[in-house]
Amino acid sequence: KNEVEQSPQNLTAQEGEFITINCSYSVGISALHWLQQHPGGGIVSLFMLSSGKKKHGRLIATINIQEKHSSLHITASHPRDSAVYICAVPQGGSEKLVFGKGTKLTVNP
Amino acid sequence: DAGVIQSPRHEVTEMGQEVTLRCKPISGHNSLFWYRQTMMRGLELLIYFNNNVPIDDSGMPEDRFSAKMPNASFSTLKIQPSEPRDSAVYFCASSWDRVDQPQHFGDGTRLSIL
């Protein structure tokens, strides 16, 4: 079974700071998912990546397949970025996802 | 695009009652997932369907839980009888049936069993 570890569990930042959230997994995968869950509870898929880097606005996701590690970066953080960020990887070759415990980010104005 | 639609958004009921949660996936998606989220355990997959057929139900806690997908546009998750420990947020998600496709989540059903 793939084990997914995220760090840190909680992160508090000041508006404008550069944010990094880390995710490590134990078994090789085809793609890794980054999800965002806002205080209201809804879950949104941010990225799915299998190699290299992807960028969407102020969000950047990177993955190192050899090291089984991914990072999610937020540049020029804003209070509206406050949310829980969850990393997920497929279990075996199936569509079944295994989730990290999430990183709760709070960005203060 | 209407997105994944779940109902009800909130449900409060007494233990022992039957609870039915409903989900309408995005049209055209052929995989559907039911998840449960709690503070203690985070997000967990309960069951997923591909082309209306249950593929993996290993996450279903016990016989009190059952899920059906009678057609491509509707699925139910039923708990009978319900217990206080079933209190959680239940999410439904859908996707194309490839591991490299993102899953689209509904807004969830917040279930409280008293």
Side-chain angles (χ1 to χ4, degrees):
Chain A
K1 179 182 175 181
N2 218 336
E3 303 288 338
V4 181
E5 296 286 337
Q6 280 187 243
S7 64
Q9 279 189 302
N10 292 282
L11 182 56
T12 300
Q14 287 300 121
E15 184 172 357
E17 286 185 6
F18 182 82
I19 304 294
T20 296
I21 298 170
N22 296 298
C23 175
S24 296
Y25 51 93
S26 57
V27 178
I29 57 171
S30 56
L32 179 142
H33 301 245
W34 280 105
L35 309 171
Q36 180 192 55
Q37 185 170 28
H38 271 285
I43 298 174
V44 175
S45 178
L46 295 175
F47 293 104
M48 200 168 52
L49 67 166
S50 54
S51 65
K53 179 168 76 173
K54 284 191 176 181
K55 185 175 188 291
H56 181 68
R58 294 179 296 104
L59 299 175
I60 303 167
T62 64
I63 189 167
N64 185 317
I65 296 294
Q66 286 74 30
E67 294 186 4
K68 298 185 178 65
H69 180 269
S70 176
S71 293
L72 177 68
H73 306 284
I74 304 176
T75 60
S77 59
H78 190 276
R80 65 174 174 267
D81 298 326
S82 298
V84 176
Y85 293 85
I86 303 168
C87 167
V89 300
Q91 180 68 43
S94 75
E95 301 171 73
K96 180 177 179 177
L97 292 179
V98 177
F99 297 87
K101 291 282 197 297
T103 295
K104 184 176 180 181
L105 171 65
T106 303
V107 181
N108 295 317
Chain B
D1 189 344
V4 176
I5 299 172
Q6 288 187 248
S7 64
R9 290 295 310 277
H10 299 92
E11 173 100 11
V12 180
T13 192
E14 293 185 346
M15 66 177 292
Q17 297 297 308
E18 178 178 291
V19 173
T20 300
L21 311 181
R22 297 173 176 80
C23 175
K24 177 178 167 54
I26 291 173
S27 178
H29 282 183
N30 49 5
S31 288
L32 183 140
F33 307 82
W34 281 103
Y35 295 101
R36 179 171 66 178
Q37 185 179 40
T38 61
M39 290 291 292
M40 290 296 294
R41 300 171 68 92
L43 267 169
E44 301 175 287
L45 177 71
L46 298 176
I47 184 171
Y48 84 92
F49 295 84
N50 181 254
N51 293 322
N52 312 337
V53 176
I55 302 300
D56 187 333
D57 66 354
S58 58
M60 295 286 264
E62 48 199 271
D63 291 346
R64 296 184 299 105
F65 284 68
S66 63
K68 293 182 180 179
M69 192 164 186
N71 57 62
S73 58
F74 183 66
S75 177
T76 59
L77 178 68
K78 189 171 291 189
I79 309 173
Q80 167 65 19
S82 57
E83 296 182 4
R85 61 192 166 121
D86 302 330
S87 298
V89 181
Y90 291 81
F91 287 98
C92 175
S94 71
S95 74
W96 296 107
D97 64 347
R98 289 177 49 145
V99 296
D100 61 348
Q101 291 297 307
Q103 294 184 17
H104 298 259
F105 286 75
D107 290 334
T109 295
R110 186 172 295 275
L111 177 64
S112 297
I113 308 296
L114 305 176

